[in-house]
Structures are given as C-alpha cells and as structure tokens.
Amino acid sequence: MLQDDCSYDKIGRLPNIVSCAFADISEKRDAIILTTEPAWSAASGIAIDPKQLIHVKGNTEAYMAALTEVCEGEVVYGVGGGLAIDTAKYVAATNGLPLVALPTILSTDAFLTDATGVRENGCVRYLASKAPDTVIVDMDVLCNAPPAMRASGAADVLSIATAMWDWQEAEKMDENPRDQQITPQTIDIGSTLLQTLLDNAREIGRGTPTGLKLLLDLLCMEVQLCYLCGHSRVEEGSEHYFVYAIENHLTSAEGTNTGNMGGDGETVLHGELVGLGILLMSALQSQPWAQYRHALECLQINYRPHAVSTDAIAETLVNLSDYVAQHQLPYTVATTLRITPDIAKRTIQTVLD
Ligand SMILES: [Zn+2]
C-alpha cells in the first residue's frame, strides 16, 4: 500500500473522515461516480445526481488509464469497496480532481490509503495515487451490508499476526533493508492493534455500530502505523503474497482489493483470501493459528471461499517460494520454507478441517 519513495520526512496522513447519512450529502459540483452495481444499489438513498456514473470492471493500470480519459467532471466519488475506491483514487489523482470516498462495506483499508493497487503480470503493484480528501461514513449503510462482507477488512488488521512474524523473522535473519528495520515500539503498537481486534472480533462480526466504529478505528491506526514506518511490512507479509499468487487461479480475477470474481462468477473478497492466507501461513510459522480461525469465524469472514479449490491452494503453496522470488517480494516465511505437496496437503487439512 505504500510506494518505495515514501521517506520519513514526509509522513502520510489519513483523510478527513466525516459521519453523515448518504442521503444528506449535498453536492453541487459535476460529480463523476465510480462504483460497482451492488455498491450503488446499497447506496440507493444517496443524494447526488451524477454527471457520470461508471461501473468499475477492471483492475489493471491500462483499464484505469482508459477510464481516466473518459471521465469529465469537477469531483470524483468512489462508492463501494476496495475496487471502486482504488479506481476513483487513480482517476482523481491523474485528472487533478478532488476525491470523496463513500465506503459501503469495510472490506479493505483502501478508502484510507494514498496508493492504488493494480494487477500486473500476476502480481500486485501499488501506484501512487491520492488519499481521498474526504471519507463519508454512513454507519447505517455499513451495519446493513451483508454480514459476510461488511467487516471483511478486519482481515487487513488480523494480517498483522502473520506479517509481523515475517518481519521479525527477517530482522533475525538480517534480511530487512536499512529503511525497514524493526523497532520494539512498532511491534508493541502492532501487537496492541492485533489484540484489540482479537478481543472484539465478535462485536465487530455482529455488525453493531460500536463494532464497526472500532473496526474503522483499527483500520485507521493500522494505516497510520504503516505511514509512520514508511512501508507496510507490519500488515503485509506472506499471507498477502499467498493472496496475490492464488488470485491467478481465479479465472476472471477482477478485484483490486475487493471483488475478485471466482470461476463461477461468485465474488471472492480480498478479506476472505487474506483470512485463508493468515491461517495457512500462521500454521506454517508454527503459530497458534486456531485463535485466528476463531477470530475469522466471529468476524463472519468466510476463509473458505467456494471459488477457491483445495487443489488451487495446494498448488499455490507449493509454488509460493518461486513466486515470491520471481516477484522480488520482501523476506518472509515463504522465502525459505520449502513447501512440499505433502506439507501443503497437511497444512490445508490442519487449518480447514
Ligand atoms: Zn490487504
């Protein structure tokens, strides 16, 4: 989620976040709305008359660049989950327009960050775009979103469990670049965010205003911590690399941070794949993975998406060390662990049975 050129003297910051019913938004400028069909119907009470309404259908840079050409207006709105909002960030940054994000589900941290993830050559690349100028949170919309979707972004906080393990292991092996060295304080803060999520997973999964406000707070703190570090190693490790790799097995991978289409047209959320990655990687790291599975269950995150076959999981695990080497991803458990077909099979059985 961050670019290489992020330096310590310029710390990124969170967008303004306002709480407001979508029906009460007053917008007089010519608005370009980037959304997806389910998100737009979830935001049906929205009081904006768009000059352009565009349903986002791709996640490559070429697609986003083409979209940018046809967008004409004075302000960009991103309405939905990660894909719609990441695309809106790209369009607004390229066209030099103000940007308002309206998350309809808390499915990723994309509405808080200043980069756009694009899929390229079977991996993810983050392009500098811009953070929204304003994020509008309508708590009723978030609470009424489908239970399996509304809190799936909690996986991007739970991923601290495996990512921070990877980052610490890299430190022990002297594999962290100079600008990605660990401080014990960062580990303390990351551990606190993780523990707070674990302690409140049930409340968040219930989709209460209290639970979803806490999830929003945790996502804000996770993003701000990454800004302070200048990289996202604290929450992006082998579990995310597993996700980027397995996306190549989903026939029409369509999501950036949310909304990958599985083979049968069924949507696979980023958080679902990250949840699966956390379980597999925490088991391979010999961590107490069962508490993470319990948390995912409380959060109502489906870590066994139907569109992802056991064969695809096994193949992804066996090829993971080649994948991370090929894409030059930072040092994690996936860098050195040789996962044989047998280990893959046993790990899958352990965490999914
Ligand atoms: Zn993520």
Side-chain angles (χ1 to χ4, degrees):
M1 48 169 267
L2 297 169
Q3 303 80 59
D4 300 335
D5 60 352
C6 246
S7 58
Y8 190 73
D9 57 351
K10 188 171 179 242
I11 298 168
R13 60 185 175 90
L14 295 168
N16 293 319
I17 302 174
V18 297
S19 183
C20 170
F22 290 166
D24 294 338
I25 298 170
S26 152
E27 181 56 76
K28 306 238 163 11
R29 296 167 289 185
D30 282 343
I32 306 157
I33 296 191
L34 295 162
T35 188
T36 58
E37 269 163 46
W40 188 241
S41 55
S44 56
I46 198 166
I48 306 170
D49 182 20
K51 182 169 188 246
Q52 282 183 317
L53 178 68
I54 295 168
H55 290 121
V56 177
K57 296 204 162 66
N59 59 18
T60 62
E61 187 175 8
Y63 175 83
M64 291 186 193
L67 210 53
T68 300
E69 301 266 308
V70 299
C71 284
E72 273 178 45
E74 296 166 318
V75 58
V76 179
Y77 275 73
V79 182
L83 176 63
I85 293 175
D86 253 4
T87 309
K89 283 151 63 178
Y90 182 95
V91 169
T94 311
N95 288 352
L97 293 173
L99 172 64
V100 185
L102 275 53
T104 55
I105 46 175
L106 297 179
S107 59
T108 71
D109 55 16
F111 62 96
L112 299 170
T113 67
D114 60 3
T116 291
V118 293
R119 296 309 192 263
E120 195 178 88
N121 302 323
C123 197
V124 174
R125 194 159 69 91
Y126 289 99
L127 307 172
S129 57
K130 67 178 271 180
D133 298 288
T134 306
V135 174
I136 299 177
V137 173
D138 182 335
M139 202 43 91
D140 282 343
V141 169
L142 295 179
C143 292
N144 289 322
M149 301 174 90
R150 66 187 167 209
S152 58
D156 276 338
V157 180
L158 191 60
S159 63
I160 292 171
T162 38
M164 215 161 67
W165 189 99
D166 284 326
W167 190 26
Q168 287 176 291
E169 184 69 11
E171 187 81 5
K172 267 186 234 158
M173 305 304 289
D174 201 20
E175 293 283 350
N176 285 329
R178 280 168 71 96
D179 59 350
Q180 295 186 5
Q181 306 273 306
I182 286 191
T183 67
Q185 293 79 9
T186 308
I187 300 301
D188 284 347
I189 297 167
S191 305
T192 301
L193 298 184
L194 174 62
Q195 193 57 47
T196 306
L197 178 75
L198 293 173
D199 292 345
N200 294 279
R202 195 168 297 279
E203 182 77 25
I204 295 168
R206 280 199 195 112
T208 63
T210 309
L212 293 183
K213 171 66 168 65
L214 176 62
L215 175 55
L216 176 63
D217 291 349
L218 287 170
L219 288 168
C220 285
M221 288 186 269
E222 169 258 303
V223 169
Q224 188 66 62
L225 182 58
C226 291
Y227 282 148
L228 291 165
C229 291
H231 57 81
S232 50
R233 300 280 298 277
V234 70
E235 65 89 29
E236 185 182 32
S238 54
E239 76 300 319
H240 271 84
Y241 306 156
F242 167 82
V243 173
Y244 305 149
I246 203 164
E247 280 181 355
N248 295 302
H249 289 269
L250 304 176
T251 41
S252 55
E254 188 172 299
T256 301
N257 276 321
T258 181
N260 298 293
M261 299 302 283
D264 50 5
E266 170 188 355
T267 296
V268 184
L269 294 166
H270 177 68
E272 295 176 337
L273 295 175
V274 173
L276 174 61
I278 292 166
L279 294 185
L280 294 164
M281 293 303 144
S282 59
L284 290 167
Q285 292 165 340
S286 306
Q287 284 206 65
W289 56 269
Q291 59 174 330
Y292 307 136
R293 188 165 80 176
H294 178 67
L296 289 167
E297 279 159 5
C298 291
L299 292 162
Q300 305 206 48
I301 295 175
N302 176 19
Y303 53 83
R304 263 228 88 154
H306 188 66
V308 181
S309 69
T310 306
D311 285 351
I313 300 171
E315 207 181 310
T316 303
L317 286 175
V318 169
N319 294 322
L320 197 57
S321 63
D322 287 344
Y323 180 86
V324 297
Q326 186 195 338
H327 295 285
Q328 299 179 328
L329 298 170
Y331 185 99
T332 64
V333 68
T335 307
T336 49
L337 191 65
R338 283 185 47 82
I339 305 173
T340 61
D342 200 48
I343 293 173
K345 195 173 152 208
R346 268 188 287 132
T347 308
I348 294 165
Q349 271 171 359
T350 302
V351 300
L352 293 184
D353 281 358

